[in-house]
Amino acid sequence: MADFALQAQPIDAAEWLDLARRAEAAGFDTLLAADHPGSCASPFVALAAAAAVTSTIRLGSYVANGGVREPMLLATDVATLDLVSGGRALLGIGAGHAPAEWDAVGRVRPGVQGRVDRCVAVADATVRLLAGETVTVAGPELTMLNAVLAQPRPVQERVPLLMGTANSRLLRWAGEHADIVGLTGFGATKADGHQHDARWRLAEIDAQVELARAGGNAALEALVQMVEITDDAEAVLAGHAERLGVSVGELAEVPFVLVGTEDEIVSAVRRHRERWGIGRYAVRRNALDLLGPLLPRLA
């Protein structure tokens, strides 16, 4: 019925390696690491360490910031991870949003259109480099001349591409070009540069899925913000529903929230697949223990 990916960050070496082993043993499909230069670990270094103590779980960035990453360096990191993991790398990429990440590398953060243009250009160039092509790009968002990733070469013939977004243009592009469309449900970035407004109304999710489906047949994945096993989902969701301006009933149907009894969560995942075709979920660290025992029922 669904695959589950676990997104986490290293706390220390022993804990990180243990988490990778536990995620694989529990049946998680993928271990994901975020990319926020200056405020979290390097995803590809962390994932390479996890590769050394696992054998089947996929390993991916969620998501590399296309605004501040260069395609050649990104492709080299992904190809190296694919090599040392025996063909388990996944490239997750997004347009980025935190202004401090542009400031830190001496660039001006573009507006939405500029970030989207850059993300598409970086994703396309990186995929082409991983495929062994010679890449030349001459545009305002990206410039490359005769770039070739000669070594290392990835083990996989095609490293899967995931694009995490709620932007309309990127949803269309990802539906056509990516293997996985990561539905984030994010709206505008708030003043702190990190938090987002939520696009969680069911009609908004319908529209996001329609855009992704218009481009092709990529798998759909939801980024889950809350996982809780409880026999009183209404009480847990009430405050969040009020803050978001939706009813508790509507919030309970949103794929970015998995709250309820084990049976209720299984039923919700089934409904999400029936309504939207969502067959993948990315969940946070606390879900390892909460959802691990449920994965056989959800697979």
Side-chain angles (χ1 to χ4, degrees), residues 44 71-91 126 129-131 149-156 159:
F44 299 105
M72 178 55 78
L73 302 180
L74 186 56
T76 301
D77 283 343
V78 174
T80 303
L81 176 61
D82 203 53
L83 179 67
V84 301
S85 68
R88 291 184 281 143
L90 178 149
L91 168 59
T126 304
L129 289 168
L130 290 169
L149 181 63
Q151 293 293 336
R153 296 300 308 151
V155 173
Q156 298 177 87
V159 175

Side-chain angles (χ1 to χ4, degrees), residues 185-274:
F186 292 165
T189 304
K190 294 185 177 181
D192 67 359
H194 292 281
Q195 301 298 312
H196 300 265
D197 292 330
R199 293 177 180 168
W200 284 15
R201 292 186 180 276
L202 299 182
E204 292 174 318
I205 300 168
D206 289 341
Q208 293 167 41
V209 169
E210 183 178 356
L211 288 168
R213 288 296 189 211
N217 197 35
L220 299 182
E221 177 179 279
L223 176 59
V224 179
Q225 300 292 339
M226 185 191 315
V227 176
E228 188 165 340
I229 307 294
T230 175
D231 59 4
D232 193 353
E234 183 173 352
V236 173
L237 294 174
H240 300 286
E242 182 178 0
R243 176 172 53 84
L244 293 168
V246 300
S247 69
V248 171
E250 183 172 13
L251 184 57
E253 294 300 312
V254 168
F256 311 120
V257 172
L258 294 175
V259 174
T261 64
E262 292 185 355
D263 287 343
E264 287 171 340
I265 288 175
V266 171
S267 295
V269 169
R270 182 176 294 111
R271 292 194 302 275
H272 300 159
R273 189 174 188 91
E274 292 170 352

Side-chain angles (χ1 to χ4, degrees), residues 1-2 4 25-28 262 266 290-299:
M1 186 161 57
F4 279 75
F28 282 89
E262 292 185 355
V266 171
L290 293 175
L291 291 184
L294 265 182
L295 292 188
R297 295 181 61 187
L298 294 167

Side-chain angles (χ1 to χ4, degrees), residues 92-110:
I93 193 166
H97 60 273
E101 294 172 17
W102 274 264
D103 293 343
V105 297
R107 295 180 182 171
V108 176
R109 177 178 177 266

